[in-house]
Amino acid sequence: MTTHRGIESAPDTEGGVPPNNRVHRVGAGELDGYAALSGGTVGSKKLWMGLVENPPLSTTDNHHHGDSEAGIYVVSGHPVFVYHDGEREVRICAGPGDFLLVPPFVPHREENPDPDEPAVVVIARTTQEPIKVSVPELYQLTGTSAG
């Protein structure tokens, strides 16, 4: 195996999408907002990955990610993921090292109830760009399409 240091992928010389025939590295501190891997950053066709930090005592709005699955890995903190099971809100408490799956179209929200520590998560989605559709309230997903 050959290891090369200092060789990075970059957008083509005309400023377009990076070539899709090589491994790309996005270094620590080089994210485009929250996005690390996306169509715009590395030419991804079917995957989006990013790093999200939820500040202490924060709550997102109720939302879903369209037809994209979301895989979540908790890096630090203790985020809470909330969804509706048809009868009540369900709260899933997570911690460092936990993985979670949010299926397509499932309304949910993330909370960070800790008064001092941010919650840091890595998110992977099955679309090259993030999808976030705000909804007025949590509801149970019924059937296999958007509700």
Side-chain angles (χ1 to χ4, degrees):
M1 179 170 96
T2 304
T3 302
H4 298 276
R5 295 188 187 273
I7 297 177
E8 305 291 334
S9 63
D12 64 24
T13 57
E14 297 174 12
V17 175
N20 199 20
N21 64 350
R22 61 193 71 186
V23 174
H24 298 270
R25 175 185 171 273
V26 176
E30 296 178 344
L31 275 63
D32 179 11
Y34 295 118
L37 308 179
S38 70
T41 62
V42 297
S44 173
K45 302 287 185 205
K46 298 179 183 179
L47 176 69
W48 183 95
M49 284 187 76
L51 184 70
V52 175
E53 181 175 318
N54 291 323
L57 298 176
S58 65
T59 301
T60 68
D61 64 338
N62 299 322
H63 64 278
H64 65 76
H65 301 292
D67 63 359
S68 179
E69 288 183 312
I72 301 165
Y73 174 75
V74 179
V75 176
S76 62
H78 293 87
V80 177
F81 297 85
V82 185
Y83 73 98
H84 203 283
D85 70 359
E87 295 181 18
R88 61 182 174 83
E89 285 189 359
V90 176
R91 303 174 63 79
I92 298 176
C93 300
D98 288 346
F99 289 86
L100 299 106
L101 171 69
V102 178
F105 297 105
V106 172
H108 63 283
R109 72 174 171 266
E110 297 93 37
E111 300 176 353
N112 180 9
D114 192 291
D116 301 311
E117 184 180 13
V120 178
V121 299
V122 171
I123 300 176
R125 295 195 184 121
T126 57
T127 55
Q128 69 174 0
E129 301 300 335
I131 298 169
K132 182 179 178 195
V133 178
S134 295
V135 295
E137 61 185 90
L138 298 179
Y139 52 85
Q140 182 184 26
L141 182 67
T142 58
T144 57
S145 62

